Amino acid sequence: MCKDSACLLTMKETDLEAVATAVQRVAGMLQRPDQLDKVEQYRRRETRKKASVEARLKAAIQSQLDGVRTGLSQLHNALNDVKDIQQSLADVSKDWRQSINTIESLKDVKDAVVQHSQLAAAVENLKNIFSVPEIVRETQDLIEQGALLQAHRKLMDLECSRDELMCEQYRMDSGNKRDMTLIHGYFGSTQGLSDELAKQLWMVLQRSLVTVRRDPTLLVSVVRIIEREEKIDRRILDRKKQTGFVPPGRPKNWKEKMFAILDRTVTTRIEGTQADTRESDKMWLVRHLEIIRKYVLDDLIIAKNLMVQCFPPHYEIFKNLLSMYHQALSTRMQDLASEDLEANEIVSLLTWVLNTYTSAEMMGNVELAPEVDVSALEPLLSSNVVSELLDTYMSTLTSNIIAWLRKALETDKKDWSKETEPEADQDGYYQTTLPAIVFQMFEQNLQVAAQISEDLKTKVLVLCLQQMNSFLSRYKEEAQLYKEEHLRNRQHPHCYVQYMIAIINNCQTFKESIVSLKRKYLKTEAEEGPCLSQPSMDGILDAIAKEGCSSLLEEVFLDLEQHLNELMTKKWLLGSNAVDIICVTVEDYFNDFARIKKPYKKRMTAEAHRRVVVEYLRAVMQKRISFRSAEERKEGAEKMVREAEQLRFLFRKLASGFGEDADGHCDTIVAVAEVIKLTDPSLLYLEVSTLVSKYPDIRDDHIGALLAVRGDASRDMKQTIMETLEQGPMQASPNYVPIFKEIVVPSLNVAKLLK
């Protein structure tokens, strides 16, 4: 009742909604007066629409009614079918209950069927059972003859007969051990034949790389036998799930054993390539690694081109062999790395492991592509082992370089005492073999390190330069000792000057070689860190060269000492040729010094020029002579000017190739001569002032000594000049090089000079 009321209410609401919608549509159509003329037209159109909607609605309702009618019919049929099935099940249940007793009475028949099955199997195998001894003999003969496939076929027949009998016995009476043992004993020779055949198979597999070239069919036969056994193993394991019985000796797993045999063969082949020891051959490791490389490459090429044709694709024989060789090599490299290797042996090992192994000479060979992907190969040695080897190598190399440098220096020192001059290079400069030996050694070690890695090359370069720094300090000490030894006896060594020149030239060679070495082994300047900077080594080399030049100049001035002592003496004034001898001696020495390389020869010439002038001025300041008259002062001053020009000419000549200013120092002698030459004492202050303005480092004692040499300056004049100069000290120009600074006036105080 409630449902009917709700339906009536819903219908009323729907009618009201429809009327409202119609009113709204009519209002929309009749908004303008002219639309009233079309009312009849609108009415007919709406009537047509209504008729169309009603027709579609009737069709839809009719379709739904047809569907309902069909569904009810199918449900009725299904109900009848269910009733029929229910009746059939009731009949089956009744029949089953009635036949239980009949089934139990057929137990004897069932047992007879089982027994019949067993007897049928026995009859089927009876022939084989009686012929077991004969088959065993034939199989043995076939194995000995190498007819492996035929032998395996007969072995399979024997094993099949044995397994079938044992399986039937197991089904009939699994607890009857005696009968199982009896059958197993009767077929006892079968296991021996299987082992003998396996031994022949393994022998073929051990020589598979040779067999595949000489008799590939034999290798194929071995693989076929293994495949047969694998199938039998799988069949027996499947039957085990049903019966629980597994024949003796199964599963054989010959495929797994085959890969184990190949693995042992590969390992033995790798280990057996070492033909020498360190004691018998220093190059034992290089030879060993080269043999390994050749064998492995040849074996893999054969495996890729020939062996893959003898094995089923799913064996992936090449991939497995590649893995075996890689693992065997890794193990062998680990063993070699654990030995007490020398530095050159470590280099050989790392070069082979890091470079040769993946190069075109081995795994990267085009004949192995694309099966071998070098980028996918694992490292033969772990990073830790490589690091340990590199640390050991660097430690050993450090000791070796120190020893080599020490030995090279000792050899060079022995040459310094020879009676013959050192060799000259293509430009005529003296040199010894030391720089060539040192940098040849560095070059060799850097080339070796570069074969291993860029990082090691940089480390070795750092090591070489560090040791070079220490070596140069020792070189400097030895050069100093060489000089001191010569000064104790200037007659020995006989070629002291020439070898000291060679030592100086070596410094320049070392500089150039260091720059060349870094340019060659450093790709960019960015790689040059603080540890590779050169200033410290350049400083030591410059110091060695400077000491060498000083010692050579010392040699010169030792020979000049007697003649320098004649300057500014009575003998000199009366006509001594001391300066002539000085010039000849200096020129003679500098003819030898022409063998010094330009940078050092240039400095040496400038230093010799400065020292000669300083010695000349020192002679003036030592007051060896005091002129008594204006004539003597004029004569002495003019002689000083002539000798200054003579020295100027000499040093211009010596410095002709350097562009040096050879006039500056000699001008000092001329300036001092002008003070001595002055004839009017009243102008002496002005002349001295000019001298002091030119040479601000001139001191009071120098002025006093110079006035004392003149011999005509009164005490008051000296006092006036000194006091005036003290009031206005001169400022030196930035480019002025002091020359009076190192000239010491003999210990005579200024007050005494003034008297």
Side-chain angles (χ1 to χ4, degrees):
M1 187 69 180
C2 292
K3 288 183 179 180
D4 294 341
S5 300
C7 289
L8 290 172
L9 183 61
T10 302
M11 289 178 65
K12 287 181 179 179
E13 291 177 353
T14 303
D15 291 342
L16 291 173
E17 185 177 350
V19 171
T21 302
V23 170
Q24 187 176 1
R25 288 193 62 182
V26 170
M29 292 177 185
L30 303 175
Q31 290 183 353
R32 297 190 305 276
D34 60 324
Q35 290 178 326
L36 291 174
D37 297 337
K38 298 180 181 180
V39 170
E40 187 61 27
Q41 182 182 347
Y42 290 152
R43 186 180 64 77
R44 287 196 301 271
R45 187 176 67 188
E46 291 302 321
T47 301
R48 286 197 300 271
K49 283 185 179 180
K50 178 182 178 183
S52 175
V53 170
E54 286 177 349
R56 289 200 303 271
L57 183 60
K58 287 179 181 179
I61 292 172
Q62 185 62 41
S63 175
Q64 290 291 331
L65 289 173
D66 291 344
V68 170
R69 188 180 298 108
T70 302
L72 289 173
S73 175
Q74 289 175 347
L75 285 173
H76 180 72
N77 294 336
L79 179 61
N80 293 333
D81 291 341
V82 168
K83 288 179 179 179
D84 292 342
I85 291 169
Q86 186 176 12
Q87 182 61 41
S88 298
L89 285 174
D91 295 342
V92 169
S93 177
K94 180 180 178 182
D95 293 341
W96 177 75
R97 288 191 182 91
Q98 292 175 353
S99 62
I100 288 177
N101 296 330
T102 305
I103 293 172
E104 290 179 353
S105 65
L106 293 175
K107 184 175 184 304
D108 294 338
V109 176
K110 178 181 177 182
D111 293 341
V113 170
V114 172
Q115 187 176 9
H116 180 269
S117 174
Q118 292 172 345
L119 292 172
V123 170
E124 186 179 345
N125 291 294
L126 192 60
K127 182 180 178 181
N128 291 335
I129 291 172
F130 284 116
S131 61
V132 165
E134 183 182 352
I135 296 175
V136 168
R137 285 193 300 272
E138 291 176 357
T139 305
Q140 184 68 46
D141 292 340
L142 289 171
I143 292 174
E144 291 174 357
Q145 294 168 12
L148 302 181
L149 275 177
Q150 295 90 324
H152 185 251
R153 171 58 63 188
K154 291 188 174 295
L155 178 63
M156 287 171 62
D157 292 341
L158 287 172
E159 290 180 337
C160 182
S161 298
R162 180 198 64 185
D163 297 346
E164 289 297 329
L165 286 172
M166 295 183 76
C167 183
E168 289 300 328
Q169 177 60 36
Y170 183 83
R171 287 178 180 175
M172 186 171 61
D173 187 3
S174 60
N176 190 343
K177 302 294 183 183
R178 187 179 66 82
D179 289 349
M180 294 290 279
T181 304
L182 180 64
I183 298 172
H184 186 267
Y186 185 74
F187 287 90
S189 301
T190 305
Q191 186 61 46
L193 290 174
S194 178
D195 294 341
E196 185 66 27
L197 179 61
K199 189 180 298 183
Q200 295 298 318
L201 300 183
W202 307 152
M203 288 176 62
V204 173
L205 286 171
Q206 286 170 356
R207 303 180 70 254
S208 57
L209 291 168
V210 177
T211 305
V212 76
R213 286 179 290 180
R214 295 181 180 176
D215 187 7
T217 55
L218 179 58
L219 184 59
V220 171
S221 298
V222 170
V223 176
R224 288 179 62 188
I225 291 170
I226 292 171
E227 268 296 279
R228 287 176 183 174
E229 290 295 336
E230 284 295 301
K231 290 179 181 178
I232 295 171
D233 281 348
R234 288 194 295 271
R235 188 170 65 247
I236 286 176
L237 291 175
D238 290 341
R239 189 169 65 180
K240 178 188 175 184
K241 296 175 183 178
Q242 299 174 1
T243 65
F245 173 74
V246 178
R250 291 289 178 181
K252 291 185 179 180
N253 294 322
W254 277 9
K255 180 180 177 183
E256 183 180 330
K257 291 178 181 177
M258 176 197 75
F259 282 114
I261 291 294
L262 289 174
D263 191 32
R264 284 201 300 272
T265 303
V266 168
T267 302
T268 304
R269 184 162 174 78
I270 297 298
E271 292 176 349
T273 54
Q274 183 174 345
D276 302 298
T277 61
R278 186 182 295 121
E279 291 72 20
S280 62
D281 186 354
K282 290 293 183 183
M283 300 296 289
W284 69 275
L285 184 58
V286 174
R287 194 183 306 279
H288 179 39
L289 294 173
E290 176 57 21
I291 292 172
I292 289 177
R293 183 199 67 78
K294 187 176 184 306
Y295 280 13
V296 171
L297 180 59
D298 291 347
D299 291 354
L300 290 176
I301 290 174
I302 291 170
K304 175 178 178 289
N305 296 328
L306 300 178
M307 285 189 69
V308 292
Q309 301 175 22
C310 301
F311 289 80
H314 66 273
Y315 274 50
E316 296 184 319
I317 189 64
F318 181 75
K319 179 180 178 181
N320 281 293
L321 278 174
L322 178 63
S323 176
M324 291 173 194
Y325 273 100
H326 182 79
Q327 186 57 45
L329 286 172
S330 179
T331 302
R332 183 57 184 156
M333 296 305 115
Q334 293 278 0
D335 293 342
L336 290 173
S338 63
E339 295 185 16
D340 187 15
L341 297 177
E342 297 178 356
N344 62 315
E345 294 169 350
I346 292 174
V347 168
S348 299
L349 181 62
L350 289 177
T351 302
W352 197 93
V353 168
L354 300 178
N355 299 325
T356 304
Y357 183 63
T358 55
S359 71
E361 297 178 355
M362 198 169 176
M363 292 303 186
N365 192 284
V366 292
E367 293 193 52
L368 296 179
E371 282 78 357
V372 177
D373 182 3
V374 174
S375 61
L377 293 174
E378 293 292 327
L380 290 177
L381 292 176
S382 66
S383 57
N384 291 336
V385 174
V386 172
S387 297
E388 289 176 7
L389 285 174
L390 289 176
D391 291 343
T392 303
Y393 172 71
M394 291 300 294
S395 176
T396 306
L397 183 61
T398 302
S399 302
N400 289 345
I401 288 178
I402 292 172
W404 291 332
L405 290 174
R406 185 181 295 112
K407 184 177 180 181
L409 184 53
E410 290 297 326
T411 304
D412 206 55
K413 278 172 56 183
K414 290 178 182 177
D415 292 344
W416 297 351
S417 301
K418 286 183 177 179
E419 297 292 322
T420 55
E421 293 183 356
E423 296 178 357
D425 64 11
Q426 58 188 8
D427 297 319
Y429 297 122
Y430 283 135
Q431 63 178 6
T432 69
T433 57
L434 183 62
I437 291 172
V438 169
F439 282 92
Q440 183 181 8
M441 175 187 65
F442 287 170
E443 186 86 18
Q444 289 173 351
N445 283 290
L446 284 165
Q447 288 175 356
V448 167
Q451 294 175 6
I452 298 175
S453 68
E454 288 295 315
D455 183 54
L456 180 63
K457 181 194 70 176
T458 304
K459 287 182 179 179
V460 172
L461 179 58
V462 171
L463 172 63
C464 290
L465 295 180
Q466 287 174 343
Q467 294 305 319
M468 186 67 188
N469 220 347
S470 304
F471 167 75
L472 290 178
S473 297
R474 292 195 298 274
Y475 191 49
K476 180 181 178 183
E477 294 170 3
E478 294 297 339
Q480 183 63 29
L481 293 173
Y482 184 54
K483 169 188 171 183
E484 293 172 0
E485 179 187 353
H486 174 70
L487 291 176
R488 286 194 290 271
N489 182 0
R490 292 187 64 208
Q491 302 302 317
H492 298 283
H494 180 71
C495 295
Y496 169 76
V497 171
Q498 290 82 356
Y499 275 100
M500 186 56 75
I501 291 173
I503 290 172
I504 294 169
N505 289 338
N506 284 349
C507 293
Q508 183 64 21
T509 305
F510 276 129
K511 276 187 178 183
E512 294 168 356
S513 299
I514 291 169
V515 172
S516 174
L517 201 67
K518 290 198 288 188
R519 187 183 298 119
K520 182 175 181 180
Y521 289 99
L522 289 180
K523 290 182 178 178
T524 61
E525 293 183 2
E527 291 186 58
E528 184 172 349
C531 54
L532 292 178
S533 60
Q534 200 174 343
S536 61
M537 281 184 283
D538 284 354
I540 297 173
L541 289 167
D542 286 340
I544 296 171
K546 185 177 180 181
E547 287 290 332
C549 292
S550 297
S551 66
L552 291 177
L553 288 178
E554 192 70 30
E555 193 75 7
V556 175
F557 282 92
L558 284 173
D559 286 350
L560 295 180
E561 185 175 3
Q562 176 185 350
H563 309 292
L564 290 171
N565 288 336
E566 286 186 15
L567 297 177
M568 301 305 292
T569 61
K570 286 288 184 182
K571 181 180 178 181
W572 168 79
L573 187 61
L574 294 174
S576 169
N577 60 349
V579 171
D580 294 335
I581 297 173
I582 289 170
C583 289
V584 170
T585 304
V586 169
E587 188 171 8
D588 182 56
Y589 267 104
F590 269 82
N591 285 334
D592 289 337
F593 297 163
R595 304 279 192 139
I596 298 175
K597 290 186 176 180
K598 191 172 181 179
Y600 299 123
K601 184 183 176 185
K602 178 180 177 181
R603 296 179 213 166
M604 195 170 177
T605 304
E607 179 61 17
H609 185 188
R610 190 190 67 80
R611 281 191 64 178
V612 168
V613 171
V614 167
E615 292 300 326
Y616 199 108
L617 295 174
R618 182 176 280 114
V620 175
M621 299 305 169
Q622 286 181 345
K623 306 177 297 297
R624 299 171 183 170
I625 187 172
S626 180
F627 298 112
R628 297 178 180 177
S629 64
E631 286 298 324
E632 279 191 357
R633 284 191 289 276
K634 181 180 178 182
E635 183 182 351
E638 289 176 351
K639 186 174 178 64
M640 288 176 67
V641 172
R642 287 195 303 274
E643 290 176 347
E645 291 302 322
Q646 196 173 349
L647 292 173
R648 192 196 310 276
F649 176 79
L650 169 67
F651 286 106
R652 276 180 179 173
K653 180 180 178 182
L654 295 179
S656 59
F658 308 134
E660 280 287 304
D661 178 14
D663 298 338
H665 296 316
C666 292
D667 287 343
T668 310
I669 299 175
V670 175
V672 171
E674 290 297 326
V675 174
I676 294 174
K677 184 180 178 181
L678 187 66
T679 57
D680 186 355
S682 62
L683 298 176
L684 190 58
Y685 167 72
L686 183 61
E687 195 68 34
V688 170
S689 298
T690 303
L691 180 67
V692 173
S693 66
K694 284 184 179 180
Y695 307 101
D697 63 320
I698 196 167
R699 301 189 300 271
D700 292 349
D701 52 352
H702 294 144
I703 300 299
L706 183 57
L707 294 177
V709 170
R710 273 186 60 87
D712 66 338
S714 64
R715 180 179 179 182
D716 292 339
M717 184 182 295
K718 293 177 183 178
Q719 187 73 35
T720 302
I721 291 172
M722 293 292 191
E723 290 175 355
T724 306
L725 292 175
E726 286 175 358
Q727 291 174 4
M730 298 296 177
Q731 295 293 325
S733 67
N735 297 326
Y736 175 70
V737 180
I739 193 168
F740 287 94
K741 185 177 180 180
E742 58 185 281
I743 299 174
V744 179
V745 177
S747 56
L748 187 63
N749 59 39
V750 176
K752 189 172 181 179
L753 286 172
L754 292 176
K755 292 179 181 179

